[in-house]
Amino acid sequence: MKIYFRLLSFAKPIEKFAIPYVIATLLAISFNTFLFTLLGPLMQAIFLEKCETITKTQANGSWNPMEQFDSYINNIIADDKIFALKIICVVIVITVFLANFFRYFSQRYMEDLRVHTLLNLRKRVFDNVMNLHVGYFNNERKGDIISKVASDVQVVQFSVTNTLQVVFKEPVQLLFFIGVLINISLKLTVFSLLVIPISGFVISKIVKRLKQQSTQSHQSFAKMIGFLDEALGGIKIIKAFNATFRIKEKFDEENKFYSKLNRKMARRQQLASPVSQTLGVLVVVFILLYGGIQILDGTGDLEPHKFIVYLATFSQLMQPIKALTDSFSGIHSGIAAGERVLDLIDTKPELVNKPGAENLTTFEKELTFEHVDFYYGDKQVLKDININVKKGSTVALVGPSGGGKSTLMDLIPRFHDPKSGAVKIDGYDYKDLTVESIRAQIGTVNQESILFNDTIFNNIAFGKPEASEEEVIKAAKIANAHEFILNTEQGYQSFVGDRGNKLSGGQKQRICIARAVLANPPIMLLDEATSALDTESEKLVQDALNNLMQNRTSIVIAHRLSTIQHADVIVVIDKGEVVETGSHSELMSRNGLYKRLIDMQAFND
């Protein structure tokens, strides 16, 4: 129940919806119950030849509205049965209208609550996902996260709000019906209500395994979403290696497992309702037999018209019981989904601003690494890194693949914190500054050109959404992108497609550079920005990068060493350590690892 109440907290302010819902529901239940009590007077007016007039009960503390109404109708029936029938019919119509009128508003308020809960829950989940550190996404399946944000949240929303609706409405309706039954015959009601605990015990046994199966079902669905995401992202590779059949089989296998689980769950859930209904019908048959014999023999104290009301009301008693049992079986699925959603909400980002962290407003002097060590799990990736990047300089990071260059680059925008040592900017330790203010000073152009399925204009203006058209065009010209953009179908308003798949690699990269130019940060990070391009595109992109780096502090990871020979400082990193530092000419004269790398590239070219 702890999980349920925590999930319910996302409905706050719940009183905004709950109070009008409770009022509307109580009125709907009152008129719905009154409707069944009208069957007695209706039977009297139509079928009974004689009618004994009942004296009205005075308001002496034991006033009974049902007896008052019966007394009024019986007095009219004694004088004019046809007029009494007309009155009863009018009251039935009014009662049905009012019952349904208030039922509509109660459902409307509950739907508002449901939508409000979903809005809050999904916002909280997505906000927390966006706040998580970059490393989290390296260890989690994207499909699992998508499943939690999309599917599981939906399950939680329906389960929690539906249960809330049932927990209030159905017990109250049940109490109203029981009140009518007790008013007619206490002895018969006490016996007949034994069906409720028996039904509850049987159903609890039936749905015992639902939570475990529901958890497995949500996990299986997440796997399928993951397969789908990977298949769509790697469709060219799948087809190129003739792996279509194998991927389809993999998806189909998980799909069958998911379907089998859902089938088992549905069978258990569906079994609960027939069991409760069957038990209810058995009790109704017994009541019919017991009460009918008494009336026919004339031995009982039940009047025929009241016995009819009793039977009709008891038959309706099973509807709230059925709704409660269905809700009880369905809540397991909601709790299982809720646990997965709350697990995501409870995941704390590793990088948070410490209390009293300062905002970095400008970059004035230098960026330094002081004795920095970094680990991925138990594996040490960076060892005692000491680098000094002066404002306005260009620093190139080079070395064999897997040496730790990209990891070192990720420390600069504080995607990770070092295990030991410190990263400082203008003398401030990163940990004393807000993450947002650090990243505001930094722009990034990655090896992978990451674009969003939006217009070229919006992709360029991503870092500065308030930018004017002139500013965007100016940035595109600096990035050598303006000309090809004008040649697209709708110019700057052309959509780039999913991940920019409507553009070539060089075009995507130049838009990424234009995005960085427009943001105009003082520090620029370039992570092998030309490594995936052909020669012609590489030249255009390299020219754009040269424009980008003018009058700006730049830290570059280069695939082609010929492109960084002009760098002020070249840092050679091998196996997580800085092995050489200096200018191109200084490093060439040392005849070390840098010279060997240059010679190898020259030989390969």
Side-chain angles (χ1 to χ4, degrees), residues 362-570:
T362 58
F363 174 55
E364 298 292 345
K365 298 175 184 177
E366 60 186 7
L367 174 70
T368 57
F369 290 80
E370 297 180 358
H371 304 289
V372 168
D373 292 338
F374 184 78
Y375 291 77
Y376 278 128
D378 296 328
K379 182 183 177 184
Q380 187 169 8
V381 182
L382 298 176
K383 305 173 188 175
D384 195 32
I385 300 294
N386 292 278
I387 300 174
N388 191 346
V389 181
K390 297 289 185 182
K391 181 180 179 181
S393 65
T394 297
V395 175
L397 307 179
V398 302
S401 296
K405 301 185 298 297
S406 293
T407 301
L408 180 61
M409 187 80 89
D410 283 347
L411 295 178
I412 298 173
R414 207 183 171 193
F415 291 151
H416 313 283
D417 274 340
K419 182 77 171 178
S420 61
V423 183
K424 295 183 178 181
I425 184 166
D426 286 347
Y428 294 99
D429 191 310
Y430 263 28
K431 294 179 181 178
D432 296 328
L433 301 170
T434 62
V435 174
E436 296 78 14
S437 67
I438 292 171
R439 292 174 185 169
Q441 306 299 317
I442 297 168
T444 304
V445 179
N446 295 310
Q447 179 179 357
E448 181 186 1
S449 307
I450 300 173
L451 297 179
F452 300 95
N453 193 356
D454 204 337
T455 63
I456 293 174
F457 184 96
N458 288 340
N459 270 285
I460 294 175
F462 186 77
K464 189 179 177 182
E466 73 281 3
S468 65
E469 186 176 356
E470 291 75 16
E471 290 176 305
V472 170
I473 292 173
K474 184 179 178 181
K477 287 179 177 177
I478 294 173
N480 288 337
H482 180 65
E483 187 176 337
F484 88 77
I485 292 173
L486 292 180
N487 289 330
T488 58
E489 188 175 347
Q490 296 179 17
Y492 282 85
Q493 297 306 316
S494 298
F495 278 80
V496 300
D498 185 36
R499 299 175 187 239
N501 58 18
K502 292 184 178 181
L503 304 176
S504 69
Q507 290 172 337
K508 288 192 287 186
Q509 196 66 289
R510 280 178 277 166
I511 289 178
C512 290
I513 294 170
R515 180 169 62 198
V517 169
L518 184 62
N520 195 29
I523 301 172
M524 188 58 62
L525 308 181
L526 308 174
D527 187 357
E528 300 197 80
T530 63
S531 62
L533 305 178
D534 59 80
T535 305
E536 183 179 353
S537 295
E538 182 182 4
K539 185 178 184 310
L540 288 168
V541 170
Q542 190 59 52
D543 289 343
L545 290 173
N546 292 337
N547 294 335
L548 176 64
M549 290 188 290
Q550 285 180 8
N551 304 317
R552 193 175 272 113
T553 307
S554 303
I555 302 168
V556 184
I557 296 177
H559 174 69
R560 290 186 177 274
L561 300 183
S562 58
T563 62
I564 50 89
Q565 292 179 9
H566 66 283
D568 299 299
V569 179
I570 298 172

Side-chain angles (χ1 to χ4, degrees), residues 119 144 182 185 196 258 300 338 348 352 395 435 478 495 542 591:
L119 173 72
D144 194 49
I182 291 174
S185 174
I196 296 177
Y258 175 71
K348 302 299 181 185
V352 292
V395 175
V435 174
I478 294 173
F495 278 80
Q542 190 59 52
N591 201 26

Side-chain angles (χ1 to χ4, degrees), residues 255-266:
N255 191 22
K256 286 178 179 175
F257 176 72
Y258 175 71
S259 301
K260 184 179 179 182
L261 270 177
N262 277 4
R263 191 159 51 244
K264 287 181 179 178
M265 288 171 58

